[in-house]
Amino acid sequence: MKKEYTLTIFTENKIGLLHRITVIFTRRKLNIESLNTSESEIRGIYRFTIVVTVTESMVQTLVKQIEKQIGILKAFYHTLEEIVYQEIALYKVPTHAFADGNEVEKLIRNHNARILRIEPEYIIVEKTGHKEETQQLFRDLEQFGILQFARSGRIALTKQIKEITAYLKELEMQQDET
Amino acid sequence: MQTKTDARKAGKQETIERISGAEALMRALIIEGVDTIFGYIGGAIMPVYDALMNYEDKVRHVMVRHEQGAMHAAQAYARIKRRPGVVFTTSGPGATNTVTGLADAMLDSTPLVVITGQVGAAMLGTDAFQETDVVSVSMPLTKWNYQITCADEIPEVLAKAFFYANSGRPGPVVIDITKNAQFDEVDFDYKKISRVSSYVAKPRPDIADIDKAADLINAAKSPLVLVGQGVAISGAQEEFKTFVEKAGLPVASTLLGLSAFPSNHALFTGMLGMHGNYAPNINTNKCDVLIAIGMRFDDRVTGNLETYAKQAKIIHIEIDPSEVDKNVKTDVAIVSDAKQALELLTPKVKNNSHEDWLKSFAKLHEVEYEKVIRKDIHPTKGMMHMGEVINRVSEKTKGEALIVTDVGQHQMASARYYQFNKKDSLITSGGLGTMGFGIPAGMGAAIAKPDRPIFVFVGDGGFQMTVQELGTLAQYHLPVKIILLNNNYLGMVRQWQELFFDGRYASTELVNPDFLKIAEGFGVPGKQISDREALDSTLDELLNVEGPFLLEVKVQKMGNIFPMIPAGATVSDMRLE
Ligand SMILES: Cc1ncc(C[n+]2csc(CCOP(=O)(O)OP(=O)(O)O)c2C)c(N)n1
Ligand SMILES: [Mg+2]
């Protein structure tokens, strides 16, 4: 059965690693639903967060094939219950939508969104949340005309207590000199 | 010219020299023990070739006729020497001509360090003359690749290249070096690498898994061991033999596993897979414990996974964790180098024999012999069969020659009918099935092992894919005996057309040239035979030839390779005719 999985991948910052990772998905014609990368809590170690919908045995294979690439330190996969995650969305709406009554204002308040910028022609609204939430605001704003919309990839932290530093130590211990 | 190692040996103080990138590259190769380079020159690699001239006393450069030839030669060389094969090419077309060899080496776990020249760093990304994005092109075909854009990077990157290529599960590495990095100077200070913290080259097996595996083996009534190339790569042939002899385990081999265990051993039951032997395939679906060592359950071995060895407990000893549970779910996985695992496992298995179970293999083999083998190796009328030629070569060389093959029916016939009694005796393209592999691989084999008799079995199709390397064979007078099994067809594909496409022979009949004239033009002597009576004496002649030789044997046009498991069928549904 297919399910949504969030992959967390720790890498050394090496040019080309992103390509090596994405090739593993494209080879099997799998759609990467979202991808984000940033430096992790350890300087020089990068964290990739990838969302895919596949079977569990497929995600296991993917994680192993990713982890095998040189420059990848560790890769994990998680279900939604195992992570705390967030996405951010930006919406550009025409300013005149706000002029007629207070409906838009109410929407923004109810959605816990906030206004980043007000210009005579447009207003930029920001909302963080899960995809369903940012999507709901999108639907609610649609009637007022959305000029632009963008949503970030998912970022996620895991609930597990064992942190990456512990895994990196294990990695050191695991090998013999060749 | 003095290298650092010389200086050290002479007890002199080490001084860090400032030398060109090209010179640094050459010294790095020498420190890594490289004695042979296969390559082809061009604009973007000229500084390296210029530096190479300074080291001709230490390194032999084999100038091939096409970069694909350099790749396959280096592959064979690497597989025999068990250290990275080295290739030099120029940028652009030189580099793209390596693609097939990279793919082949990647699938067959062959260590290579391929050095490609590249346009100057300032011109990268501008569509400069002979610029191709080699790093992107080779990304999915390499274990690691890297572009060097400044000379300072050369020592460290080369050290990594050699370490990655030949440690863990071996594989090809591409190092793309921009022209400026070849010209510029670097303080040459080279340190070999034997460990990189983020990379587990030698995973340590878990003792609990070893114990579980031993328990399963000790309780097994009908165990079967599958030997793959991993056993040869880890140099565990002896350990493997001790292990199976102690526990009395029948052995079946993958195509690339052949010669890791002697074909004439009482426990050897034959080759697995699509055109393998009947007994091990049928018994795969009868055994109670399947012990796979250094192999990856390729689909040519397993057929339909849904019906593959479902009754058996599976033990998988494999160095690459991503192969574990990829195709076949295991009961016990030992992620380890084969040698290390076997050294731990053998003391824990009981002395045993499985006489009745072994007899069941012999019985099935009898069936295959009557239905297939006898007709293949001892036909009495009609044109010659591939099997009889290979069988005669096997007898005459006592199964001790080094066999190189191309891809097709003759490849399967070679695997089936040559008796591999000596280790490291088969070089063939397994995972990629690359036609054109044979002749250049024979070349690499002859350079790696000039003292062993080397036979290349090739088809009339594949021969024409890398025929230009006859020129290299002649130039270096390499002792490669090419046996061209000419059936006038792309035989393997024709067989599929006969069996699965109603005998509609679309584009498989060949209009062939005069092969002997071609060889002669390249300076390679040859002979053609079509009569069975001539086979014996001709092979005797061939055995005594020095240098390259082409023997063209006209064989039956419509011969088929049986037994066969049709693609996607169940192993135990192997067809005998
Ligand atoms: C480069 C390449 N192209 C196509 C194929 C598909 N193919 C596999 S076997 C084969 C026929 C080989 O014919 P030949 O070399 O005459 O050998 P035979 O099977 O007749 O012994 C072909 C076309 C391949 N394996 N490699
Ligand atoms: Mg043919």
Side-chain angles (χ1 to χ4, degrees):
Chain A
M1 203 199 43
K2 287 189 184 175
K3 217 170 140 176
E4 185 180 289
Y5 292 98
T6 303
L7 278 67
T8 311
I9 303 158
F10 293 92
T11 74
E12 294 172 336
N13 180 30
K14 289 281 157 62
I15 296 166
L17 266 182
L18 176 61
H19 192 168
R20 279 201 178 264
I21 293 171
T22 51
V23 155
I24 291 167
F25 293 85
T26 49
R27 267 183 87 180
R28 295 183 186 257
K29 265 200 131 181
L30 294 172
N31 187 29
I32 292 180
E33 282 156 38
S34 100
L35 186 152
N36 182 276
T37 126
S38 66
E39 202 168 16
S40 72
E41 64 276 18
I42 306 165
R43 189 167 308 147
I45 292 186
Y46 284 73
R47 181 184 194 110
F48 285 61
T49 308
I50 294 179
V51 181
V52 275
T53 301
V54 291
T55 61
E56 180 156 25
S57 83
M58 176 61 76
V59 78
Q60 286 168 344
T61 302
L62 291 171
V63 161
K64 284 196 235 174
Q65 288 185 334
I66 290 168
E67 205 169 83
K68 168 174 160 179
Q69 304 303 317
I70 286 165
I72 306 273
L73 297 163
K74 202 75 199 154
F76 303 92
Y77 70 94
H78 307 284
T79 59
L80 290 180
E81 299 76 54
E82 294 165 344
I83 53 172
V84 177
Y85 62 101
Q86 201 65 302
E87 289 162 5
I88 182 164
L90 299 178
Y91 312 73
K92 184 177 177 185
V93 273
T95 307
H96 63 75
F98 285 76
D100 326 325
N102 58 0
E103 225 177 307
V104 180
E105 211 183 306
K106 244 165 81 193
L107 260 179
I108 290 172
R109 211 181 285 278
N110 290 346
H111 276 277
N112 248 327
R114 59 183 192 129
I115 291 174
L116 286 185
R117 192 171 190 94
I118 303 176
E119 293 286 337
E121 297 81 24
Y122 65 85
I123 290 175
I124 305 249
V125 177
E126 173 214 292
K127 161 140 191 75
T128 56
H130 292 177
K131 189 172 174 187
E132 311 79 71
E133 296 166 330
T134 56
Q135 192 61 27
Q136 188 55 50
L137 180 57
F138 181 90
R139 277 196 289 269
D140 292 347
L141 283 174
E142 234 175 345
Q143 53 183 310
F144 305 103
I146 295 175
L147 302 170
Q148 284 186 37
F149 171 72
R151 179 163 40 222
S152 74
R154 173 181 296 176
I155 56 170
L157 299 178
T158 57
K159 295 180 187 167
Q160 70 185 24
I161 302 303
K162 188 168 172 183
E163 303 297 345
I164 183 67
T165 41
Y167 284 103
L168 294 186
K169 280 213 188 80
E170 271 175 27
L171 198 65
E172 282 278 336
M173 309 281 290
Q174 235 175 40
Q175 48 180 327
D176 292 338
E177 285 282 326
T178 41
Chain B
M1 197 156 304
Q2 199 175 52
T3 65
K4 230 179 77 179
T5 26
D6 289 340
R8 198 181 292 143
K9 268 191 206 137
K12 286 182 202 151
Q13 178 142 22
E14 275 180 39
T15 47
I16 292 176
E17 276 182 79
R18 199 153 174 80
I19 54 178
S20 76
E23 187 80 21
L25 171 72
M26 285 313 305
R27 292 203 194 173
L29 298 184
I30 287 161
I31 295 171
E32 292 292 345
V34 174
D35 56 14
T36 306
I37 295 163
F38 300 90
Y40 209 95
I41 197 167
I45 192 89
M46 283 178 70
V48 168
Y49 269 87
D50 191 60
L52 172 66
M53 276 194 92
N54 297 333
Y55 294 93
E56 278 176 342
D57 55 331
K58 294 200 175 69
V59 190
R60 172 183 203 180
H61 178 262
V62 180
M63 195 196 142
V64 296
R65 299 299 186 267
H66 186 290
E67 291 85 353
Q68 185 186 352
M71 294 296 289
H72 298 327
Q75 286 178 269
Y77 186 86
R79 276 160 70 170
I80 291 164
K81 294 275 194 184
R82 300 278 168 229
R83 51 172 211 252
V86 178
V87 172
F88 283 177
T89 81
T90 191
S91 66
T96 56
N97 277 346
T98 66
V99 164
T100 303
L102 289 173
D104 197 297
M106 188 70 176
L107 281 169
D108 285 353
S109 312
T110 310
L112 297 178
V113 174
V114 179
I115 310 284
T116 55
Q118 181 56 282
V119 302
M123 282 154 84
L124 285 170
T126 65
D127 301 319
F129 179 63
Q130 295 193 329
E131 183 198 1
T132 38
D133 182 359
V134 172
V135 171
S136 292
V137 168
S138 63
M139 180 92 48
L141 310 175
T142 49
K143 182 171 174 187
W144 188 60
N145 62 5
Y146 191 86
Q147 183 176 64
I148 293 176
T149 52
C150 86
D152 291 337
E153 297 177 281
I154 288 175
E156 192 191 333
V157 171
L158 262 290
K160 280 189 175 160
F162 278 89
F163 174 57
Y164 288 144
N166 205 28
S167 59
R169 177 174 177 182
V173 168
V174 167
I175 304 298
D176 196 38
I177 308 187
T178 58
K179 204 163 176 181
N180 60 297
Q182 301 171 37
F183 278 127
D184 289 350
E185 293 198 326
V186 48
D187 291 327
F188 188 71
D189 180 19
Y190 196 87
K191 290 185 196 70
K192 274 181 133 180
I193 291 180
S194 63
R195 190 189 169 102
V196 170
S197 65
S198 61
Y199 165 85
V200 182
K202 237 184 163 185
R204 198 175 296 143
D206 190 332
I207 297 301
D209 294 330
I210 300 273
D211 287 336
K212 274 189 242 162
D215 289 346
L216 281 178
I217 294 166
N218 288 335
K221 296 271 173 290
S222 48
L224 175 60
V225 179
L226 313 184
V227 55
Q229 192 192 201
V231 169
I233 292 174
S234 83
Q237 292 95 336
E238 277 309 310
E239 289 77 4
F240 179 82
K241 193 157 157 252
T242 312
F243 165 68
V244 297
E245 282 176 350
K246 184 175 180 197
L249 308 168
V251 176
S253 180
T254 67
L255 175 63
L256 294 192
L258 288 172
S259 84
F261 188 68
S263 304
N264 58 359
H265 196 285
L267 290 169
F268 188 68
T269 69
M271 182 170 75
L272 295 161
M274 185 172 273
H275 289 293
N277 292 102
Y278 194 54
N281 277 305
I282 299 291
N283 277 352
T284 294
N285 275 5
K286 292 208 175 114
C287 66
D288 60 358
V289 178
L290 193 72
I291 307 131
I293 309 182
M295 57 85 78
R296 60 185 175 88
F297 293 108
D298 179 83
D299 55 273
R300 283 296 188 266
V301 161
T302 63
N304 185 356
L305 286 170
E306 304 290 315
T307 51
Y308 180 80
K310 286 295 174 202
Q311 80 294 341
K313 294 268 188 239
I314 312 273
I315 300 170
H316 195 181
I317 301 178
E318 166 61 46
I319 196 164
D320 177 356
S322 78
E323 292 297 349
V324 172
D325 291 332
K326 186 182 80 175
N327 293 341
V328 173
K329 301 282 172 231
T330 50
D331 295 280
V332 181
I334 300 173
V335 177
S336 159
D337 172 72
K339 190 170 189 159
Q340 205 177 359
L342 287 168
E343 279 168 355
L344 293 167
L345 186 55
T346 305
K348 299 191 170 176
V349 297
K350 287 192 293 208
N351 278 303
N352 210 339
S353 66
H354 302 275
E355 290 308 324
D356 290 342
W357 170 235
L358 265 173
K359 270 185 209 141
S360 78
F361 286 88
K363 252 201 194 132
L364 289 164
H365 186 74
E366 202 52 38
V367 175
E368 181 183 345
Y369 192 88
E370 288 310 319
K371 291 249 174 186
V372 182
I373 299 175
R374 185 199 299 283
K375 290 181 219 161
D376 270 352
I377 64 176
H378 300 302
T380 46
K381 49 181 190 303
M383 301 277 286
M384 273 189 273
H385 286 216
M386 290 182 178
E388 75 179 303
V389 180
I390 291 154
N391 181 56
R392 282 309 283 149
V393 174
S394 183
E395 287 171 357
K396 285 195 183 288
T397 56
K398 303 188 181 66
E400 290 178 354
L402 206 167
I403 302 300
V404 180
T405 83
D406 209 80
V407 167
Q409 290 183 315
H410 63 279
Q411 175 190 33
M412 291 299 114
S414 306
R416 288 175 52 76
Y417 296 122
Y418 196 86
Q419 293 274 309
F420 298 95
N421 296 334
K422 223 174 144 161
K423 69 175 185 180
D424 294 332
S425 292
L426 176 63
I427 303 291
T428 191
S429 166
L432 198 65
T434 307
M435 281 174 72
F437 180 84
I439 296 174
M443 197 160 95
I447 289 166
K449 275 269 178 250
D451 45 343
R452 277 187 79 180
I454 294 167
F455 290 84
V456 175
F457 289 107
V458 59
D460 44 329
F463 183 84
Q464 297 179 65
M465 282 205 174
T466 44
V467 65
Q468 72 284 348
E469 299 307 335
L470 290 180
T472 316
L473 289 177
Q475 180 182 342
Y476 297 92
H477 197 65
L478 297 172
V480 177
K481 306 172 206 305
I482 302 170
I483 301 187
L484 168 58
L485 296 169
N486 182 359
N487 56 5
N488 224 91
Y489 270 102
L490 297 173
M492 185 55 93
V493 179
R494 190 211 55 75
Q495 172 170 348
W496 283 49
Q497 288 170 334
E498 182 182 330
L499 299 174
F500 311 117
F501 290 85
D502 297 327
R504 287 157 56 86
Y505 298 131
S507 301
T508 41
E509 188 167 5
L510 287 163
V511 177
N512 280 328
D514 182 331
F515 290 113
L516 293 189
K517 268 204 187 132
I518 286 182
E520 193 193 337
F522 277 108
V524 173
K527 183 172 177 173
Q528 185 201 73
I529 56 167
S530 48
D531 288 338
R532 180 160 288 123
E533 289 67 41
L535 180 60
D536 236 44
S537 59
T538 308
L539 289 181
D540 287 337
E541 271 172 55
L542 185 61
L543 277 170
N544 292 317
V545 170
E546 278 177 46
F549 193 88
L550 174 67
L551 172 62
E552 179 189 355
V553 183
K554 294 260 196 189
V555 296
Q556 54 171 358
K557 290 189 170 187
M558 298 287 185
N560 284 335
I561 301 288
F562 279 109
M564 177 175 192
I565 305 164
T570 298
V571 276
S572 52
D573 289 344
M574 191 169 214
R575 290 169 59 171
L576 284 160
E577 52 203 353

